[in-house]
Each structure stands twice: as C-alpha cells, then as structure tokens.
Amino acid sequence: MAEGLRAVPREVNRRFAQTIADVVELATLRVNEELAISGDLDKAARIPVVEVSMLLDVSRTMAGVYIDNGLQLRDRFHATRTAFEEGDIGFTHVREIVTALQGLDDELLARVEPEAILIAQQGLSRSVLRNELDRMVIAADPDGAAERRKAMEPHSDYRSSRDLNGLAHISATITAAEAAELDARITAVTGTVCSRDHRQPHQQRADAFVAVMRGHTYLDCTCERDQCPEKHREPLPAPPKPTVKIHTDAATLAGLIGHVPTIDGYGVIDPALARELAADATWQGLFREAGQFARGRHRQPGITAPPQGLLPPNGHGTFTEPPPGALTYQPSQALREAIIARDGTCRTPGCSTPASECEIDHMIPFNHADPRSGGWTIEQNLGAICRPDHKRKTLGYWIARMHSDRTITWTTQYGQTFTTRPHGWTD
C-alpha cells in the first residue's frame, strides 16, 4: 500500500503538467484572436485569465499564475518542463524554480537549471526549497542577487485582516535584516518564562510579539507556581539590543568569492548584504573558517541507498576517546550554536521549523547511567529537532543515523527510509 501511495504524486504531476500545457495553448490562442481583432495587448492578456479561472474553478490570481509559469516553461525553462511532464517534480516545485531563476540570463539559467531540478526532487518543504534555490542562485550570481534585493526593498508591505472569533491575521514584507532583528527580540522575550509555562511555543511567540509592540521586555509566566524562578523578575528599563547571528567567512567579508552567508532564522543572503550588516556596530557577525562543518551534495533522483560514510552506531562519531564535554548531557552554548548554524532547520523529513526554535537532540541516545557507553554530546551525534518531532523520535517512530557528511538517514517503524541534509551555514 505504501509503495502504491508513493506512485500517486508522479501521476498527479504528469496530469497537471498536461493541464498547464493546455492552459498555455488556450491562452496563446485567445491572445492572438483578440490581437487580430482589436490590436489591444492589454485587453488580450486579460481575456484568457478570466476564461481559465472559470474553466478550472480557480481564482483569477491563480489562473494568472498558471499562465505565467506555463509560458516560462514553454519559452525558457525547458529542463524544468521535462521534469514536470515526467512527474519528477510538481507545480509547487515549478513555481519555486521559476521564481528563483527567472532573473538569470539564458546562459546562466542553462548552467544552473539542472541542479535546481535535483534540489526540487529532494522532498524539501517549500521554505527550505526556496532557501536552497536562493543559495544556488546567490553562489552563481552574487552581484545580480544584490541588485535584485535592492530593487525589491521599496516593495515593503504591511497588512492586517480579520480572522475568526475575534482574532486577526497580520503579515508584513520587510527586509531580511529587519525581520531577523524582530525575530531576535521576540525570541528574547519568550525566554523570560520558565519551562513549565502552559503555552505552546507558537503561542508564546504571538504573545511576545504583542509585548515587543508595546515596548515590554518580558512575559508573565503562566505556570502559576509560587516557586517559579521568573515570578519576581525585575523588568528591564529598556529593551536589550537583540543579537542577530550572521554566518559568513573571511573571504566574503573581504569582498572575495566565499561561501553564501546566512542569517539565523532567515536563511541565505547575498554577500553584499552580509558585508553591510557586518559593518554596522549594532550587529555581530559570527564566522567560521573552512573545515568546521560539512554538507552532503544533492543526490541524483531515484537513488535510494543512504550516502556513504555512515558513522558508528555507538554515537561516538570518529572519536575513540570522549573529547571535553562529550560525557555531559547538555551541550555547551558554543556547541549548541554550532549545531543551529549547521542545520538551519529541524532535521526531520519535511519539517522547516527554524533550528533556533528546535531542541538539540542526541541522534544516538545519551546514557545517563553510563555516559561513556551511550551517545556522546558531540557535533557528530547532535541535531536540531523540533519539539513534536523530538517526541516522535523518543516514542520510536523514527530511528536516526548520522553520516560523516552530516546527512541523517531516518528509518520509520515501518522500514521506510528518508535522508535529510543540513540547510544552514555550509563550508
């Protein structure tokens, strides 16, 4: 049954690829018909949007998305179209590839499109896929990435809309630096409650957002315990300056060709922005030199064998003797930050929770009774895992094994295997 379900997405993708091709053919026909009658290109372009919307029972906005992406597939993204038609990728992947790569010239597009398709076939969540495509584009065209970023900065936006039962939904489009600063302030405020606070993490962050908006520096803990360590916290006189962590290398800061920089909780940024932020005294750039982390390459689609270099099952990595801190359950702050920087997001398949909001978990469990015999607290045995997925792993749904390139193979209780890769700072 499971294998039968695996085949469903490919067939759905193939059928939808044909639908998009039909949409483009119909749109082209209607545009040409109207141009022959009135010569009005603006009118001609609007006609197929309405017709496609009614025929497929989708919004006009989505009809326009179908037409625009279909035209890109027909005119420029030929390899992506082939992968779509063969069922290797879906329309969500197509949209992300087209969005990420459409600003490249034809020569550069032809060079990076095959790699983009491989990335799209790795079963990534949409936000992680977008980050990995951006990483590839920035590496291939750093100057162009900076130009496109600057062109988009004037298009900031803020919206508040009605939700159900007296709630409201807020969205904003701001710069990556501003978003990282806001996120750091919210994270700092959520840290002012004890571990027994009754709220879920997302509820804490929503309340912290309101607190930041009101100029507050703390939340009232809801654990209702007299001995709560946060109960008698003295309010700070002013909000502390948030720490926003930028991961880059010396070559990038010097204006040379280095690795693609990242901002914790956001993802990849272009080198020019990293240099701008590093030059601002209110920011602290954290950078590491080559050899500190490793990251697996994208595998060819269809290869199901795990990557080479499976680390020993004892959780000791490549060590024969425990290094400092290995026999202590809690990782040091420096090691914790290294794992967050390396992983970028939760390491379980399909999850995109930022690593900064995850727990640091031992892949091979730590043995509290005999720490030397269990999984050690070392970089080769730790990964960022969100709280719900951490609980699933603890309950036995997942078994995780790390490889020397820091990929992780996850085996379900039913014997299905999935492989994930780090999506943070990479050397």
Side-chain angles (χ1 to χ4, degrees), residues 244-248 253 274 277-278 280 283-287:
V244 179
K245 297 173 184 175
I246 307 164
H247 300 276
T248 184
L253 293 179
L277 299 180
D280 188 333
W283 293 76
Q284 181 184 17
L286 304 179
F287 56 92

Side-chain angles (χ1 to χ4, degrees), residues 94-105:
V94 169
R95 290 184 67 182
E96 295 300 333
I97 291 173
V98 169
T99 299
L101 274 62
Q102 63 184 347
L104 304 179
D105 60 43

Side-chain angles (χ1 to χ4, degrees), residues 23 26-27 46-67:
V23 164
L26 176 63
R46 294 173 185 271
I47 289 176
V49 171
V50 176
E51 186 174 8
V52 169
S53 172
M54 293 187 295
L55 290 173
L56 297 182
D57 192 23
V58 297
S59 68
R60 293 182 183 181
T61 298
M62 186 53 65
V65 169
Y66 290 170
I67 294 171

Side-chain angles (χ1 to χ4, degrees), residues 107-326:
E107 180 180 353
L108 194 53
L109 174 61
R111 179 153 59 88
V112 303
E113 188 181 9
E115 176 68 8
I117 295 169
L118 289 179
I119 294 173
Q121 291 173 300
Q122 301 307 314
L124 306 177
S125 68
R126 189 168 185 175
S127 61
V128 175
L129 170 60
R130 185 173 301 166
N131 188 68
E132 292 304 295
L133 291 173
D134 285 347
R135 187 195 305 275
M136 181 191 66
V137 169
I138 291 171
D141 184 25
D143 293 337
E147 292 175 2
R148 289 187 288 273
R149 168 177 56 80
K150 292 177 181 177
M152 287 300 298
E153 284 179 354
H155 297 277
S156 57
D157 186 40
Y158 170 84
R159 301 186 184 210
S160 174
S161 58
R162 184 182 184 278
D163 208 332
L164 298 176
N165 302 315
L167 299 180
H169 178 79
I170 292 175
S171 66
T173 301
I174 54 181
T175 68
E178 292 165 342
E181 180 178 355
L182 176 60
D183 191 66
R185 290 189 183 277
I186 290 173
T187 298
V189 172
T190 60
T192 62
V193 297
C194 81
S195 60
R196 298 190 183 183
D197 185 86
H198 297 320
R199 290 165 290 194
Q200 294 295 316
H202 64 276
Q203 295 170 322
Q204 291 177 344
R205 293 184 67 80
D207 289 347
F209 172 80
V210 176
V212 169
M213 176 191 69
R214 293 172 174 169
H216 297 170
T217 58
Y218 66 96
L219 289 178
D220 290 325
C221 189
T222 62
C223 74
E224 300 178 349
R225 296 182 300 145
D226 291 336
Q227 65 272 32
C228 174
E230 306 298 336
K231 187 172 183 179
H232 303 292
R233 172 186 293 271
E234 290 293 331
L236 297 175
K241 289 185 177 180
T243 299
V244 179
K245 297 173 184 175
I246 307 164
H247 300 276
T248 184
D249 55 15
T252 297
L253 293 179
L256 304 175
I257 298 177
H259 297 283
V260 177
T262 66
I263 295 180
D264 267 6
Y266 172 79
V268 295
I269 58 174
D270 62 85
L273 178 57
R275 287 190 288 271
E276 290 175 17
L277 299 180
D280 188 333
T282 63
W283 293 76
Q284 181 184 17
L286 304 179
F287 56 92
R288 297 181 179 272
E289 289 309 310
Q292 187 71 18
F293 302 113
R295 176 172 178 267
R297 296 180 60 84
H298 295 287
R299 292 182 292 124
Q300 294 288 337
I303 297 178
T304 56
Q308 298 298 312
L310 192 67
L311 292 172
N314 58 11
H316 299 175
T318 55
F319 294 99
T320 56
E321 290 295 324

Side-chain angles (χ1 to χ4, degrees), residues 299-308 403 407 409 417-419 421:
R299 292 182 292 124
Q300 294 288 337
I303 297 178
T304 56
Q308 298 298 312
H403 302 256
T407 58
T409 294
T417 61
F418 303 87
T419 300
R421 293 161 176 77

Side-chain angles (χ1 to χ4, degrees), residues 367-387:
N367 188 331
H368 292 272
D370 183 10
R372 190 178 181 89
S373 67
W376 290 349
T377 305
I378 54 176
E379 186 263 341
Q380 299 172 14
N381 189 45
L382 298 175
I385 305 181
C386 69
R387 187 178 298 178

